[in-house]
């Protein structure tokens, strides 16, 4: 993409409404525009990051054996009457009438809708286990939408729903979700800690939240420092192996880790003092096991081999996809702007032409652009007629991990410079016909 042809509405001034770094940087780098309180348009750069996160979430869910579907944003209130949650959900639920006077709502979550899908098609133990998931916009009329996409009213969420024959199998589904979530966060370059959680309006009695440590997080967290050393790494996960999954889950859930909602001072003080940590965290996901809460009230039953009919065991499992964009920025920035982890960066690299009206600089930049494109890289070419300072400050702001700097001095010496956005380290790359060294440097 040539920057002169792109749509990247960078703001020079700090927007006054932004209280935290990620919100400020998302507005300044032209990723989003607020349309009304807690509701945003996603501009090209923001949309690219959102879609990259979405793809990683989908890949890891499919790897865990979960099946993608897509449910609508608008739901009929009828199903919520059946589950008896229509009144419980209160003012957070946006309700309206259609032209026939039927009560409709913008879905804050999808337990009812998915239970209705399940009961319409599945009635035998032979079809279990099943986990259906989707990634769809949700609406919750939050009292205080704030911090940009972190606490929006409209937000993009992955929600998965597991259906199992009994509690043991439902806990296996829970464990699959916990591990696939940990894997997802690791791939995104984020450290998220599973913490024992309250269940709120979703219900049930067994739940974990996943928290990314950040000083601007909304939750107060308490944890054993031992948990910070745990990671899944590149190990292949056998999602069907329930005892294996259980032992991994045990490893991650044994060290003390709780938010203030479930914090237990007595238990916390049993940890050696030098390992007792507290701080703030951003909740980027939550998983719930709630048994037959919805299947019972909505009549989602299955036939067992012995002919008995029982309500199906369920759980629901969510990841805040749009919130993750903010969380990633909170975890990856410096005073100049965003520093995208490679996995979610909107472009693989950016070519900065230091002298746009120099014919040779432009020709070489285009050549590099074309070659990198052919090699499968997504490249931004800063071909604006701007000062070197203005180019560097806006390119640093948008956080592309690798900057390829093309300037007349370098070219006369037969070199290009590449700069790592993260540590500022510059490296000279010799100009060559096929740019192999450049290609290899970007691959790393
Ligand atoms: N049905 C369950 C699981 S699918 C559910 O709705 N869980 S939840 O309420 O915990 O939401 C899942 C995730 O969505 C949260 O962990 C959080 O990361 C994200 N989320 C929740 N509310 C908001 C919001 N107002 N703005 C942005 N993200 C949100």
């Amino acid at each position: 993409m040539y920057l002169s042809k792109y749509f990247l509405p960078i703001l020079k001034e700090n927007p006054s409404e932004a209280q935290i770094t990620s919100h400020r940087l998302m507005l300044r780098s032209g990723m989003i525009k607020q349309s009304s309180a807690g509701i945003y348009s996603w501009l090209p750069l923001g949309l690219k990051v959102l879609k990259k996160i979405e793809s990683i979430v989908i890949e890891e869910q499919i790897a865990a054996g979960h099946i993608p579907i897509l449910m609508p944003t608008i739901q009929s209130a009828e199903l919520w009457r059946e589950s008896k949650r229509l009144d419980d959900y209160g003012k957070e639920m946006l309700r309206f009438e259609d032209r026939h006077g039927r009560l409709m709502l913008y879905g804050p979550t999808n337990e009812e809708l998915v239970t209705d899908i399940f009961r319409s098609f599945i009635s035998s133990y032979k079809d279990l286990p099943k986990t259906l998931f989707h990634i769809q916009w949700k609406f919750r009329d939050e009292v205080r939408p704030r911090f940009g996409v972190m606490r929006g009213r409209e937000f993009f969420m992955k929600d998965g729903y597991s259906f199992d024959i009994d509690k043991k199998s439902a806990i296996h589904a829970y464990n699959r979700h916990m591990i696939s979530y940990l894997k997802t966060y690791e791939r995104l370059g984020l450290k998220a800690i599973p913490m024992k959680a309250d269940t709120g309006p979703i219900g049930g009695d067994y739940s974990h939240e996943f928290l990314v440590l950040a000083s601007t997080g909304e939750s107060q967290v308490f944890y054993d420092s031992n948990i910070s050393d745990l990671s899944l790494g590149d190990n292949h996960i056998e999602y069907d192996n329930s005892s294996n999954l259980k032992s991994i889950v045990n490893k991650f859930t044994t060290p003390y880790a709780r938010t203030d909602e479930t914090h237990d001072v007595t238990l916390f003080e049993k940890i050696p003092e030098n390992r007792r940590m507290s701080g703030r965290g951003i909740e980027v996901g939550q998983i719930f096991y709630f048994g037959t809460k919805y299947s019972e009230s909505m009549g989602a039953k299955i036939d067992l081999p012995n002919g008995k009919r029982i309500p199906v065991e369920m759980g629901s499992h969510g990841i805040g996809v749009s919130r993750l964009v903010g969380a990633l920025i909170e975890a990856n920035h410096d005073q100049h702007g965003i520093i995208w982890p490679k996995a979610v960066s909107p472009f693989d690299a950016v070519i900065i032409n230091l002298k746009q009206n120099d014919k040779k600089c432009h020709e070489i930049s285009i050549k590099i652009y074309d070659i990198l494109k052919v090699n499968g890289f997504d490249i931004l070419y800063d071909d604006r007629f701007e000062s070197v300072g203005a180019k560097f400050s806006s390119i640093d702001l948008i956080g592309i991990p690798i900057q390829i700097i093309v300037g007349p001095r370098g070219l006369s010496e037969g070199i290009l410079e590449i700069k790592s956005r993260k540590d500022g380290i510059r490296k000279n790359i010799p100009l060559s016909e096929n740019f192999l060294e450049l290609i290899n440097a970007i691959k790393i």
Side-chain angles (χ1 to χ4, degrees), residues 118 122 124-130 163-165 302 312-313:
F118 181 89
I122 296 185
S124 164
Y125 74 95
K126 290 181 196 152
D127 293 322
L128 296 183
K130 283 254 168 330
F163 299 91
D164 286 272
I165 186 167
I302 43 160
V312 67
E313 286 277 328

Side-chain angles (χ1 to χ4, degrees), residues 108-109 111 140 142 149-152 155 157-161 202 283-286 288 316-320 322-323:
T109 177
E111 281 79 5
R140 293 183 189 170
E142 302 271 354
V149 299
M150 291 279 209
R151 182 161 296 279
F155 60 97
M157 179 171 102
K158 173 263 159 184
D159 38 331
Y161 303 87
I202 307 293
E283 183 207 314
V284 290
Q286 186 163 5
F288 303 80
S316 76
H317 317 276
I319 292 186
S322 49
R323 179 178 285 183

Side-chain angles (χ1 to χ4, degrees), residues 328-367:
L328 276 159
I329 297 175
E330 289 297 327
N332 300 285
H333 67 267
D334 63 12
Q335 72 273 28
H336 304 297
I338 305 168
I339 307 170
W340 290 115
K342 215 175 151 184
V344 296
S345 177
F347 292 95
D348 297 315
V350 49
I351 300 166
I352 308 176
N353 182 348
L354 298 183
K355 201 160 184 207
Q356 198 56 46
N357 49 20
D358 180 305
K359 197 162 166 263
K360 185 144 184 244
C361 285
H362 185 51
E363 278 170 9
I364 293 281
S365 298
I366 292 176
K367 199 165 170 197

Side-chain angles (χ1 to χ4, degrees), residues 156-326:
F156 205 36
M157 179 171 102
K158 173 263 159 184
D159 38 331
Y161 303 87
S162 53
F163 299 91
D164 286 272
I165 186 167
D166 54 22
K167 181 165 179 183
K168 188 165 166 251
S169 173
I171 295 296
H172 178 207
Y174 187 92
N175 291 345
R176 276 201 316 273
H177 282 91
M178 180 172 295
I179 293 169
S180 62
Y181 280 23
L182 291 171
K183 191 101 194 166
T184 304
Y185 302 129
E186 280 186 19
R187 273 187 69 186
L188 295 172
L190 276 178
K191 175 125 213 106
I193 303 177
M195 302 197 178
K196 203 169 153 47
D198 270 345
T199 55
I202 307 293
D205 52 14
Y206 187 43
S207 177
H208 281 88
E209 291 174 340
F210 296 80
L211 284 112
V212 170
L213 299 175
S215 57
T216 45
E218 290 189 282
S219 314
Q220 174 78 29
V221 297
F222 302 86
Y223 60 99
D224 178 340
S225 63
N226 274 359
I227 202 165
S228 322
D229 304 332
L230 297 174
S231 83
L232 291 170
D234 289 333
N235 293 330
H236 174 70
I237 310 286
E238 288 171 45
Y239 281 104
D240 288 336
N241 184 337
S242 60
S243 61
N244 192 238
L245 290 200
K246 196 166 170 225
S247 69
I248 303 174
V249 164
N250 281 347
K251 214 169 72 179
F252 278 89
T253 53
T254 305
Y256 186 93
R258 296 193 182 191
T259 65
D260 51 355
E261 288 172 358
T262 53
H263 184 46
D264 180 330
V265 179
T266 322
L267 276 181
F268 188 58
E269 287 179 351
K270 285 193 178 140
I271 311 169
E273 206 172 340
N274 63 337
R275 290 193 349 228
R276 271 180 236 158
M277 301 288 151
S278 68
R280 311 223 32 110
I282 304 166
E283 183 207 314
V284 290
Q286 186 163 5
I287 53 179
F288 303 80
Y289 161 69
F290 44 67
T292 58
K293 174 173 170 178
Y294 299 89
S295 52
E296 189 100 55
S297 55
M298 295 182 65
K301 293 192 173 162
I302 43 160
D303 298 319
L304 296 180
N306 63 11
K308 254 177 89 179
R309 239 172 117 65
I310 56 158
V312 67
E313 286 277 328
M314 288 176 62
S316 76
H317 317 276
I319 292 186
V321 177
S322 49
R323 179 178 285 183
L324 271 169
V325 181

